[in-house]
Amino acid sequence: MFKRLSFHYPNLNFINVAHRTSYNENYKETNFQILAKACGFSGAEIYGLFKKHSSFYKIEPAVLAESIKFCHKLGFSKQDLIQHSNLLISHPVTKINHYNSLLDSGCTHIDAHLLCRALKYFKSSIQIFKLSGYLNSDANVADSLLSHVKPPIEKPKSLCVSLKVLDAKLWTDIHREILVAWLKIRLQATDDEIAKLLRIHQMIKNKSFRSINENITLAEDIGLSRDKILKCGYLLNNYPEYPKIMMQQHPFFAGLDIVKSYKSNPKMMMVNPRKILEIYNILKEYNVTDEQIQCKPDVFTMSSVTLRERLNYIPEVPEFRLLLTHPRMLKLVVHHHKIKNRLDFIRSAKIRCASFKTIGNLADERFEHFIREGKDYNHPKDVLVFFSQLLKKPCEDLKPKLFSHPYHAYVPLLDIESTYFLLTDMGYLVENLARCPQILLYPRDKVQKKLKNVLNDVRLRSSSQYTQIKLALYYIEKEFHFTGDGIWRTDVV
């Protein structure tokens, strides 16, 4: 008798089965080697496969290796895989789902032909299954499917018919009638709620009842309500091994409590553990800290290609580059298009202050309020965080001095950085700048001019760096009667 199969990873290093390939490389050579080594195909056979399916150029090596491993687990021969090569390029989880659904239906024989054409058979009558030798002549598919439903339900009246009438029905129709009746009870849902669920998430229509139930149970175990499960209906089509592996092997990952992360962002439950590791390795490659990841775990639901593209883009934009060390920097990655459009709008409006809380807050009304207000200023908290990172001092130490300046929020962060680099290039130590952080609020050219005057004074040349900085600040503000107006640039139109 066949067993229900799931694809277990012995550990999260399965990616080593197929060596990691750069995200922009052609996978032809790697996949060629995998097909030759794992399947024993000759060069001519492999070239035939590549000619038949261009997907072999694009399929990830690790995914191809998983597919081969699963097909071998089912006992498919080399000739089976040559003749039914679609099995190699379809996703392993798709094959597992189809296999388990066929098994639930009572199939006594699941060969490469049936699994390769599972969708075609699902749309066929039960009689076709029997004539093809996949079901015994006396098999009752409705009863077989119902035996896997938990909690048990009564057979729908439309299926309480003779075997001859039942065999004339399509597999999908029988499956759907049971699915609707069961989900109404399992999720305590109305007809309209189930109809909406199945309309939006159509992949559920071919899903094994045991897999669906396991997915619902997992969602309930992490604390999702009935309404949340209905809203996140994609969870019913999930591969339950993914969250189970993460919760068992990595209950805490990158400092994240996986269960809590799944509850706050259920879409993460859909992500292959191998993919989570791949994304994490990429983030580390770009020096993204665990603390930043904890602020935006949604990043694990992105594709590795998109992630790399956006991480490469950020340093190219001056305003974004300043936020690389911001605790919530990954918002720039996950919500890239929205934040980029906001920055473009701010630039077109000649607004120079574009702090994180302005462009990074996802609530449109907050951004619209900022634009309507018409003031060119940063959020004070963003300024404080930026100074803290720049001067390597706690916010609490800098806040009293920095916030004592009436216009501390009105200087673009790029200008602050420019003055900072001027002073450090002149040899001024960060610890001395931290004692007088207000100096960084002033334009580079004004600071440079006043420091030059101070250094040209023989009496002051040997004074401490802190004294020189204080004097430069004094001389700038003296011209503006100590109102703080010295921060305004005169070269900006």
Side-chain angles (χ1 to χ4, degrees), residues 247-267:
M247 289 188 289
Q248 290 167 7
Q249 296 185 16
H250 287 267
F252 293 93
F253 187 78
L256 291 166
D257 184 319
I258 287 297
V259 171
K260 289 182 179 178
S261 295
Y262 283 160
K263 184 177 181 180
S264 60
N265 184 13
K267 196 173 181 181

Side-chain angles (χ1 to χ4, degrees), residues 205-227:
K205 66 185 179 183
N206 297 324
K207 191 83 172 176
S208 160
F209 291 125
R210 283 182 286 182
S211 294
I212 294 175
N213 186 61
E214 192 170 2
N215 284 325
I216 294 174
T217 302
L218 279 169
E220 291 171 337
D221 287 346
I222 67 171
L224 295 184
S225 65
R226 180 206 74 104
D227 290 341

Side-chain angles (χ1 to χ4, degrees), residues 15-27:
I15 196 168
N16 292 329
V17 172
H19 81 265
R20 295 180 64 189
T21 310
S22 172
Y23 74 102
N24 60 354
E25 281 187 53
N26 188 303
Y27 294 134

